[in-house]
Amino acid sequence: MRRALRTLSDHLLVALTLAFAAGIATAFLHPLDAPAVTRLGQALIPLTLFLAGLNFLGGRMAMPGLLPLAVFLFGLHHGLAHLLPPQDETHLYHRIETRTEAVVVGTLNTAPEFDGRNSRARIDCRHIRFADDPRLAPTTGMLLARLPGPWPSSLKPGDTLALRATLQRPEGYLAPGAFDYPRHLALNGILVSAQVRSPLCIHKVEERPGLLQRLRYLPERMRMNLGMAIDRAVDGQHRALYRALLIGDASAIDDSTMESFKGSGTIHILSISGLHMTLIAAFLYAVFHWLLSRSPWVMARFSPRRWAAFLCLPGLLLYGLLAGMNIPVVRALVMSCTALVALCTDRQRSPSTLLALAALVLLVIDPLSLALPSFQLSFTATAAILFLVPFLKTLISAECEEGDLSPLRRLRRWLLAALLVSAAATAATAPLTLAAFNRFAPVGLVANLVVEPLICLWSLPCGFLALPFLSSAPDLAATLLRLGGPGLTLAVKAATIFAEIPGASLWRPSPPWWLLLPCGLGFSATLFARSLRPRMAALALALFLLPLAAMLLPPSLFPPRKPDAMHLVALDVGQGSATLIHYPSGRAVLIDGGGAATATPAVGERVIAPFLWSHGIATLDAMVITHADADHYNGLGFVLDHFPTTTLWVRDLQGHDEEYREVLQRAKRRGVMLTVPEVGETLAGLGPGESLRCLASPAAGLADGVASAGRESNNGLVVKACHRNGCALIPGDIDRAGERRLLASGVDLAANVLLSPHHGSKTSNSKEFLSAVAPQAMLVSTGRGNRGYFPHPGLDDDCLGLGIALFTTARHGTLTAKFTPSGAELTGYGRHAANPFLPCRPLPLAGGPLRVDSTPR
C-alpha cells in the first residue's frame, strides 16, 4: 500500500489530471439538472475543508489517495455545470427558439473566415431588436454569422457591429452516426447562428474602445491583417495553405486538396501544433542565445542559456494568440512554455508532467473540450510519441551503440526514428479516428515521411521568416513565401499520389465498445511499459494491437449483426428520402438514398453511410431507387462505393438527368445487377418469413435502353416489406393519380406502417389511399425548411380522422419502427430535454415507445 501511495505521489499531477478528466467524462454520461448541480457544489465545500484540515494535521501520507477522489468530484461538478443550458434568461439561446428576423448589436470576436463562397464570423452579442419591438433588449451569447461572399475588410475584430439577419438555433441531421453539427457548435460556445443577406446589412457602430478592449482584440486584428497580407503576397492554392499553416485558418483550402490530405493520413500537418511551436521556439532560442553570447557583460553576469529560453516565452505566447488558440495550439503552447520554464530554473520535467499540465489547463478553462475529437486526437498522438516511441525502439532497433556512424547509417537511424514516430501516432489515434470518422489511412505511416519534411522543413520555415515582414516589407515577405511555394506544391502532389493508392484509406464501421475498451486499456498500460516487466509490457501491447487489428479487418469477414426483429428506419436526410429495412436474418435493404441538392457533401457521405456503419452494417443485400428524382438517389454514389451490394432495383435504366445515369454506371462498374422489377416480383435471398415485394412498376412499358417519360414519379416503384410481425409500405413519390391506379390494381396495400407518398405533399396522400393502407402510423421524410408544404397542413387532420399516428423526420429526427410479435414500437431520435450540449439519442414518441397492432387493419 505504501509503495502504491509513493508511486501515486511521484506522479501526482498525472493522477489528478486523469481523475479530473474522468469526472468530466462521468458528467457527460450522467447529466443532472441545475438544482442537483448546485447541491453537489455545496457538498464539495466541506470536503475541501476536510482535506485542508487533514493536510494541516499531518496526514500527508493519506493525501495522495484522497486527492484524486476529491479532484474527480470537482471535475464532475465542473463538467455538470458547463453542461447546463444557459441559465441567464436574457441569453440569445432563450430569445431565439424559431427562425426569426432581428437586428443584433455586438462585437466582432474573431478574424472572419472565407471558404471561397461564404464568410463566417463570431459575434459577441450585447443587444437584440425584433421586428415587432422597436426597443433594443439586452442579451448575451456568441453568434455565428454567415455572409455570402468575402467579409468586408474594413470590419475587424473588436469593432461594434449592428447586423440585420435571420437568426435560428443551428440545425443538423438527427441520425445515429451522422456528424452532430449543432452539438459541435455548442461545445465551441455557439448556440445560435445567423444568416446575413449581404454586406449592406452590416453597419459599424462608431465607439471609442477602452484600452483593455483594444488589447483584448489586438491579436485577432493582427491575425486578420496577416491573413489579408498573405492573400496579397501569394495566390491560388498556396494562399490557402499558408493561411492554414501560419495563422490556423484552413477554411479556404479547396475540397480536392483537403481530401488528398485526408486520404493520405497527413491532414494533421495542416493544423498548428507542437511541431510549429518547436520550430518557433528553436528559432527564437538560437537568435536570442547568439545575441546574448556576443555581449561579455551578459556572459559575465547571466546565463545566456536561461535568458534565451526565458525570452522565447513572449514570442511563443504571441504566436499562439495569432494562431487562434485552438486545442492543439494551447496544448503545444502550455507544454513548450513549461519546458522552457523548467530549462530556466534547471528543473527537469518528465513528458508525462508536461502533457498532464497541458490537459489540466485546457480542461479547467473548457471542460467540454474533452468531448471534441481534436482534444482526444491531439493528446493521444502526443502521448504515443512521448511514451511509445522509446518502448518501440527497444523492441525493433539494436543499433544503439556509441561512436561515430557513417552518413548512411545516420540516415537509416533518422528514417527509423521518423517511422517509429509516425507508427506510434498513427496506431494510437486509429481507434479514435474510426470511432469519430469511420475512416483510417494506413498509407499515412509512409506518407508522413514524405509530406511532413516538405512542409515542416521547407515551406513552414519560409513562412515563419516571412511573418514579421508581411506588413513592414511586403516584397521581401512575398519572396520568402514564394521560396516555400514549391515545397507546398510537392507536398500536395505527394499527398494526392498517396491518397490514390488502392487501399490507402479504409472506411470501416464504428468500433463496438467491446473492442474500444480493451484497446484503450492496452494503450494506457503500454504508456507505462518501461516500468513493467517485459512479459507484462508485451501483454499490454498485444491488448492494444489485437482489438485494433480486428477494427481494421474487412467487415465481410465478420457475420452481419442480426436485429431481434424487423426494423424500418426513415433517416433524417432533410428534404429527401432514405429508408432502411433491416431483417432479423441480418439482411439489409436500402430504399432510396437522397437529400437536398444543396447538401455538400451529399447525404450518402454525411448521413446514410455513417448510420449504416454505426449499426455495424458493412454490406447491403439490395438497394432500391423508387424513381429518378435527385432527392431519392443523389447520396447513393458514395454508398455504392463503400457498401458492397448485389442487386439494384430501379424504375428505368435511363432517367431524366446525367447524374442518375452516372449512379447507374457506377453500380455497373461495381458489378451490381440492375433490375427493373415486375409487379409481384419479390427480392431473392431474404430469410424465412421475410419479403420485399414490388407492388407497382413501369417494367411492362419499358425495355432496356428506353427512357422514361419526363419526371413521371407515378411510374416509380412501390415496394412492401414484410416479416411475420407486420408490414411496411414505401410508395415513393406517387401522386393521387398513381394512388388511384394502385387501388384499381387490387394489390394488397394493407400495412402497419406507411412511408408517406411524396413527403406528405398535398398532391398525394388521398383519404382513399390512406384508408386502403390503413396504417397505424405514417412516417413523413421531410426537411425542416418546408413547413406548410411537406407535409401539407391538412394531413394532420386527415390522419387524426382516420386514427393514424403521424410523425415527421423534421420534428422527430430519424424514425425507427421495430416490428415485434406484440406490435410495432416507434421511436424518434433527438436531444434529451433540448440540451444542445448533450448527444442525440433514441427518444420515445408520445411519452413512450408507440406500440401499434401487429396485424394491419
Side-chain angles (χ1 to χ4, degrees):
M1 185 65 180
R2 287 180 175 270
R3 182 179 178 182
L5 289 176
R6 189 177 298 111
T7 303
L8 188 61
S9 180
D10 293 340
H11 301 87
L12 188 58
L13 183 59
V14 176
L16 296 182
T17 302
L18 291 176
F20 194 72
I24 297 172
T26 305
F28 279 102
L29 296 175
H30 301 284
L32 302 177
D33 56 15
V37 174
T38 302
R39 290 193 295 269
L40 177 60
Q42 293 169 347
L44 291 176
I45 297 175
L47 177 61
T48 305
L49 296 176
F50 169 75
L51 292 176
L54 186 65
N55 183 66
F56 178 76
L57 295 174
R60 295 185 178 180
M61 285 301 296
M63 290 298 289
L66 293 176
L67 268 179
L69 175 60
V71 171
F72 170 84
L73 294 175
F74 277 102
L76 176 63
H77 178 266
H78 197 47
L80 289 172
H82 281 76
L83 281 173
L84 292 174
Q87 301 300 296
D88 184 3
E89 291 299 324
T90 66
H91 194 281
L92 203 60
Y93 179 74
H94 297 296
R95 294 192 179 276
I96 304 297
E97 295 185 359
T98 59
R99 187 173 299 182
T100 307
E101 281 280 335
V103 173
V104 174
V105 178
T107 305
L108 181 58
N109 189 261
T110 58
E113 298 178 347
F114 179 56
D115 63 4
R117 298 179 297 273
N118 300 289
S119 298
R120 301 196 318 167
R122 294 166 64 116
I123 310 294
D124 191 0
C125 299
R126 301 203 305 255
H127 295 89
I128 188 169
R129 191 186 75 188
F130 297 101
D132 57 353
D133 189 348
R135 298 172 300 174
L136 281 173
T139 190
T140 58
M142 197 68 66
L143 179 74
L144 181 64
R146 294 183 177 87
L147 174 70
W151 187 264
S153 59
S154 59
L155 305 178
K156 298 185 177 181
D159 290 346
T160 300
L161 307 178
L163 304 88
R164 182 176 180 179
T166 302
L167 279 64
Q168 67 177 34
R169 294 181 181 180
E171 295 179 345
Y173 297 109
L174 298 177
F179 176 59
D180 193 345
Y181 183 63
R183 183 172 185 248
H184 171 77
L185 290 181
L187 294 176
N188 283 280
I190 297 171
L191 301 180
V192 176
S193 62
Q195 182 65 45
V196 185
R197 292 186 179 87
S198 80
L200 298 176
C201 297
I202 306 176
H203 175 70
K204 182 178 178 180
V205 179
E206 298 297 335
E207 288 185 348
R208 287 184 58 86
L211 177 62
L212 292 179
Q213 183 173 353
R214 289 201 299 269
L215 292 176
R216 175 186 175 186
Y217 292 105
L218 178 61
E220 283 297 325
R221 294 178 76 95
M222 294 175 61
R223 184 168 177 247
M224 183 175 178
N225 291 333
L226 287 174
M228 292 190 295
I230 292 172
D231 293 343
R232 292 191 296 268
V234 290
D235 54 14
Q237 187 182 63
H238 293 171
R239 171 195 302 171
L241 291 171
Y242 270 128
R243 287 181 70 100
L245 293 169
L246 299 179
I247 61 173
D249 178 12
S251 60
I253 300 178
D254 61 85
D255 294 340
S256 61
T257 302
M258 191 68 77
E259 179 58 31
S260 295
F261 280 93
K262 289 179 181 178
S264 62
T266 55
I267 187 65
H268 63 94
I269 300 175
L270 300 181
S271 300
I272 296 177
S273 58
L275 184 58
H276 296 68
M277 290 295 177
T278 301
L279 291 175
I280 288 283
F283 175 75
L284 292 177
Y285 181 85
V287 171
F288 289 133
H289 189 274
W290 184 85
L291 292 175
L292 294 172
S293 299
R294 303 280 75 79
S295 172
W297 185 85
V298 172
M299 292 288 292
R301 293 169 175 79
F302 305 101
S303 168
R305 177 177 63 87
R306 293 183 182 179
W307 277 96
F310 177 76
L311 292 173
C312 289
L313 296 176
L316 289 177
L317 179 60
L318 177 61
Y319 181 68
L321 292 170
L322 293 177
M325 293 299 280
N326 55 39
I327 288 175
V329 171
V330 174
R331 175 193 55 76
L333 180 62
V334 173
M335 293 183 68
S336 302
C337 291
T338 306
L340 290 173
V341 171
L343 181 63
C344 294
T345 58
D346 285 331
R347 293 186 176 184
Q348 298 298 322
R349 289 290 180 266
S350 68
S352 61
T353 302
L354 297 177
L355 193 62
L357 179 61
L360 188 60
V361 169
L362 266 171
L363 293 177
V364 169
I365 295 173
D366 182 13
L368 301 186
S369 63
L370 182 66
L372 294 174
S374 58
F375 181 97
Q376 301 164 10
L377 293 171
S378 176
F379 279 92
T380 301
T382 305
I385 292 171
L386 294 178
F387 297 104
L388 294 184
V389 169
F391 172 67
L392 292 174
K393 287 183 68 175
T394 61
L395 291 179
I396 299 176
S397 176
E399 299 183 51
C400 298
E401 67 274 6
E402 298 292 335
D404 295 334
L405 297 174
S406 65
L408 182 61
R409 295 190 68 184
R410 288 180 182 273
L411 177 62
R412 185 172 65 181
R413 293 186 64 181
W414 182 89
L415 289 175
L416 179 59
L419 185 63
L420 288 173
V421 169
S422 180
T426 301
T429 56
L432 295 174
T433 303
L434 289 172
F437 309 110
N438 299 108
R439 190 177 190 181
F440 173 68
V443 74
L445 187 67
V446 178
N448 279 285
L449 302 182
V450 178
V451 177
E452 196 158 352
L454 289 172
I455 290 181
C456 298
L457 300 181
W458 183 351
S459 304
L460 196 57
C462 291
F464 283 152
L465 290 174
L467 276 179
F469 304 108
L470 281 170
S471 299
S472 57
D475 292 338
L476 175 59
T479 301
L480 292 171
L481 292 176
R482 284 194 291 269
L483 286 175
L488 295 177
T489 301
L490 291 174
V492 173
K493 289 183 178 179
T496 303
I497 292 172
F498 280 111
E500 292 176 349
I501 296 176
S505 188
L506 304 178
W507 296 84
R508 293 291 184 264
S510 301
W513 67 268
W514 48 268
L515 282 180
L516 287 174
L517 181 60
C519 195
L521 292 175
F523 175 74
S524 302
T526 307
L527 295 181
F528 301 97
R530 283 177 290 176
S531 62
L532 299 176
R533 296 178 180 179
R535 287 187 178 180
M536 295 300 296
L539 180 62
L541 188 60
L543 186 63
F544 168 66
L545 292 178
L546 290 178
L548 176 59
M551 297 178 196
L552 297 176
L553 288 174
S556 58
L557 297 179
F558 300 92
R561 296 185 190 178
K562 297 181 179 180
D564 55 355
M566 186 178 82
H567 286 67
L568 177 144
V569 183
L571 286 169
D572 175 18
V573 290
Q575 187 58 36
S577 183
T579 306
L580 178 76
I581 306 295
H582 202 186
Y583 293 98
S585 63
R587 308 301 199 277
V589 178
L590 180 65
I591 303 173
D592 290 329
T598 56
T600 305
V603 294
E605 181 178 350
R606 298 182 68 179
V607 182
I608 302 173
F611 168 80
L612 296 175
W613 282 321
S614 71
H615 282 64
I617 299 174
T619 61
L620 291 168
D621 295 272
M623 296 168 60
V624 178
I625 302 177
T626 59
H627 63 288
D629 278 357
D631 62 340
H632 284 250
Y633 73 80
N634 62 16
L636 293 181
F638 187 87
V639 178
L640 283 166
D641 287 342
H642 296 91
F643 294 85
T645 187
T646 58
T647 303
L648 175 60
W649 279 7
V650 294
R651 68 180 289 271
D652 69 86
L653 300 177
Q654 291 295 319
H656 52 254
D657 54 42
E658 189 60 36
E659 289 76 12
Y660 176 76
R661 288 186 282 274
E662 170 56 31
V663 170
L664 299 188
Q665 289 301 317
R666 184 176 297 193
K668 289 181 180 179
R669 290 194 295 268
R670 295 284 175 181
V672 180
M673 182 175 65
L674 303 183
T675 302
V676 181
E678 301 282 348
V679 173
E681 183 175 343
T682 59
L683 183 68
L686 299 180
E690 302 169 351
S691 67
L692 184 75
R693 183 180 302 274
C694 178
L695 302 187
S697 170
L702 292 174
D704 286 4
V706 179
S708 61
R711 296 178 178 267
E712 285 290 335
S713 54
N714 282 327
N715 290 332
L717 302 180
V718 176
V719 296
K720 182 177 179 180
C722 293
H723 186 243
R724 297 186 183 96
N725 301 321
C727 295
L729 184 66
I730 301 96
D733 274 5
I734 63 171
D735 63 12
R736 299 195 177 205
E739 293 172 356
R740 287 193 294 270
R741 284 198 292 270
L742 265 178
L743 293 172
S745 68
V747 297
D748 180 15
L749 297 176
N752 306 85
V753 177
L754 169 67
L755 188 68
S756 176
H758 201 196
H759 317 283
S761 166
K762 187 176 182 179
T763 59
S764 305
N765 303 280
S766 64
K767 289 185 178 181
E768 295 79 10
F769 179 74
L770 297 182
S771 298
V773 179
Q776 282 78 38
M778 183 162 69
L779 315 182
V780 183
S781 179
T782 182
R784 292 170 182 81
N786 296 306
R787 295 180 178 91
Y789 299 96
F790 303 103
H792 72 90
L795 190 59
D796 277 319
D797 295 334
D798 292 344
C799 289
L800 184 63
L802 295 170
I804 301 173
L806 179 66
F807 303 99
T808 70
T809 56
R811 181 184 302 174
H812 304 100
T814 292
L815 294 163
T816 301
K818 177 182 177 182
F819 295 83
T820 67
S822 57
E825 298 177 359
L826 274 75
T827 55
Y829 191 78
R831 224 172 299 279
H832 176 67
N835 188 334
F837 299 108
L838 299 180
C840 294
R841 66 182 190 183
L843 295 176
L845 298 175
L850 179 69
R851 189 177 298 277
V852 298
D853 297 338
S854 59
T855 304
R857 291 181 298 188

